[in-house]
Amino acid sequence: EVQLQASGGGLVQAGGSLRLSCVASGFTFDDYIIGWFRQAPGKEREWVSCISNTYGTTFTEDSVKGRFTISSDNAKNTVYLEMNSLKPEDTAVYYCAASEDGIISRSPARYTSWGQGTLVTVSS
């Protein structure tokens, strides 16, 4: 069974940093694409970043590019999202998700397994 556990959220001031972690289990970790999504109150869930261990590539949404960095530690079955220079508009519940089809996508529908989410709140 594919399971994902997101953690690392919290309350930070604008300009601060957080590192989110997504621990995966129940599947061959490096065969999946792991994505980070976020959802703010009243807004749709949006793609933030993803990593493909198969292809050795990462992709990040333009609004956070240069501030957020996705990485993985395959030995720990963990994907990280390092978030720097946080802004109030980054406030959201952040979710990690796994896609098994091998297709890199921004669409939540492509991701078949989801973590429970971790709340990031950025104050001004």
Side-chain angles (χ1 to χ4, degrees), residues 35-56:
W36 284 99
F37 295 79
R38 66 185 183 184
Q39 188 165 23
K43 296 185 178 181
E44 296 181 358
R45 188 168 299 184
E46 66 172 348
W47 173 82
V48 176
S49 188
C50 66
I51 184 167
S52 170
N53 289 318
T54 300
Y55 302 130

Side-chain angles (χ1 to χ4, degrees), residues 14-117:
S17 299
L18 284 173
R19 188 179 73 167
L20 306 184
S21 298
C22 176
V23 179
S25 63
F27 61 98
T28 303
F29 182 72
D30 57 2
D31 287 345
Y32 281 69
I33 295 167
I34 306 298
W36 284 99
F37 295 79
R38 66 185 183 184
Q39 188 165 23
K43 296 185 178 181
E44 296 181 358
R45 188 168 299 184
E46 66 172 348
W47 173 82
V48 176
S49 188
C50 66
I51 184 167
S52 170
N53 289 318
T54 300
Y55 302 130
T57 55
T58 64
F59 302 88
T60 305
E61 201 274 327
D62 288 342
S63 68
V64 302
K65 191 175 298 181
R67 299 189 296 118
F68 292 11
T69 303
I70 191 170
S71 63
S72 66
D73 185 339
N74 290 344
K76 297 181 179 180
N77 281 0
T78 301
V79 170
Y80 304 98
L81 185 67
E82 181 73 33
M83 306 188 298
N84 299 310
S85 301
L86 283 162
K87 304 175 181 179
E89 52 263 43
D90 295 319
T91 295
V93 177
Y94 284 72
Y95 300 88
C96 62
S99 173
E100 63 181 332
D101 64 8
I103 300 174
I104 298 170
S105 177
R106 301 169 180 258
S107 174
R110 286 283 191 177
Y111 294 78
T112 56
S113 299
W114 292 80
Q116 85 290 351

